[in-house]
Amino acid sequence: FHIGEREEKCIIEDIPSDTLVVGNYKVQRWDIHKHDFLESAPGLGMFVTVTSPSGEVLLSKLYGPQGTFSFTSYLSGEHIICFQSNSTRFAVIAGSKLRIHLDIRVGEHFLDESAIEAKDKVNEVNVRLEHLIEQIHHVTKEQNYEREREEKFRKTSEETNSNILWWAIVQTLILISVGIWQIKSLRDFFIAKKLV
């Protein structure tokens, strides 16, 4: 995505609780002379701020022009990940565009291939099995989180449907009572004027 040099950009990620999130990013600055983005942006860093659904700041740190950040979610829900450059140029001068390449991995634990190659075959199988078991636990947590969200959504829908039904009943009763009152008032009016 593209942002201005002093602009803040936020991304919302829906993350289950107790989940590791790893993000890799790279910043490129627009070069006016070449009319293209430079391969890197030396001297330019990024403030990365992560906020939990409860508003608690989980991560607030300055990184370089490219880097890796990670955090663990303690609550399930929408986490806000914000990026802002550390440019000290004035807003008038800092009109340069930045391109940010971002890769966010939720719940992944990476295997160190060099460590696996160094171990014998039995340990390699053991490490791979542990990695698979970890991934199974992550998938299970993700499914439980989605189940909780679906149940919450279903309850909200049922409450809304119930409220709509009661509102329709109340409206019908009001219309009937207003109709009866109008008929009675007209009948009394006609009797008072001796038209009936």
Side-chain angles (χ1 to χ4, degrees):
F1 58 89
H2 293 171
I3 63 172
E5 195 168 331
R6 297 186 48 115
E7 181 183 351
E8 182 179 42
K9 178 79 169 185
C10 294
I11 296 169
I12 297 174
E13 279 289 323
D14 202 359
I15 304 170
S17 62
D18 297 325
T19 303
L20 176 68
V21 178
V22 178
N24 295 314
Y25 74 90
K26 177 181 172 183
V27 179
Q28 294 176 310
R29 184 182 295 187
W30 176 256
D31 187 359
I32 298 172
H33 305 295
K34 293 182 181 178
H35 296 289
D36 195 12
F37 286 96
L38 298 174
E39 193 55 37
S40 65
L44 189 65
M46 293 298 285
F47 284 109
V48 179
T49 307
V50 179
T51 309
S52 71
S54 65
E56 177 186 355
V57 176
L58 299 177
L59 174 71
S60 181
K61 191 172 178 183
L62 174 63
Y63 292 93
Q66 66 182 35
T68 301
F69 62 91
S70 64
F71 65 94
T72 302
S73 63
Y74 297 105
L75 294 173
S76 56
E78 294 181 342
H79 289 69
I80 301 171
I81 304 170
C82 295
F83 297 89
Q84 185 176 20
S85 72
N86 67 341
S87 175
T88 56
R89 294 163 52 178
F90 291 111
V92 177
I93 301 170
S96 182
K97 285 191 291 185
L98 301 176
R99 176 188 286 169
I100 299 177
H101 301 272
L102 179 63
D103 179 28
I104 295 179
R105 293 186 184 101
V106 177
E108 287 194 17
H109 299 281
F110 305 103
L111 287 174
D112 185 6
E113 294 295 332
S114 61
I116 291 175
E117 290 173 5
K119 296 180 181 181
D120 60 325
K121 290 292 182 183
V122 175
N123 284 343
E124 180 181 341
V125 170
N126 190 20
V127 169
R128 289 195 185 273
L129 279 174
E130 288 175 3
H131 181 69
L132 286 174
I133 290 170
E134 236 175 63
Q135 286 181 331
I136 290 170
H137 287 300
H138 172 67
V139 168
T140 305
K141 272 198 293 188
E142 187 79 28
Q143 286 177 335
N144 288 338
Y145 175 62
E146 293 300 326
R147 228 179 260 120
E148 288 173 11
R149 289 187 62 201
E150 188 273 332
E151 184 178 333
K152 190 176 177 183
F153 179 75
R154 188 173 32 82
K155 283 182 183 176
T156 303
S157 296
E158 288 173 358
E159 288 174 4
T160 303
N161 287 340
S162 175
N163 290 342
I164 289 172
L165 174 69
W166 283 110
W167 179 245
I169 290 172
V170 167
Q171 281 182 324
T172 305
L173 291 176
I174 290 173
L175 284 173
I176 291 172
S177 61
V178 167
I180 292 172
W181 176 78
Q182 283 181 336
I183 290 172
K184 184 181 178 317
S185 296
L186 280 173
R187 186 172 164 263
D188 292 344
F189 174 77
F190 290 144
I191 290 174
K193 295 293 182 182
K194 297 182 183 179
L195 295 173
V196 177

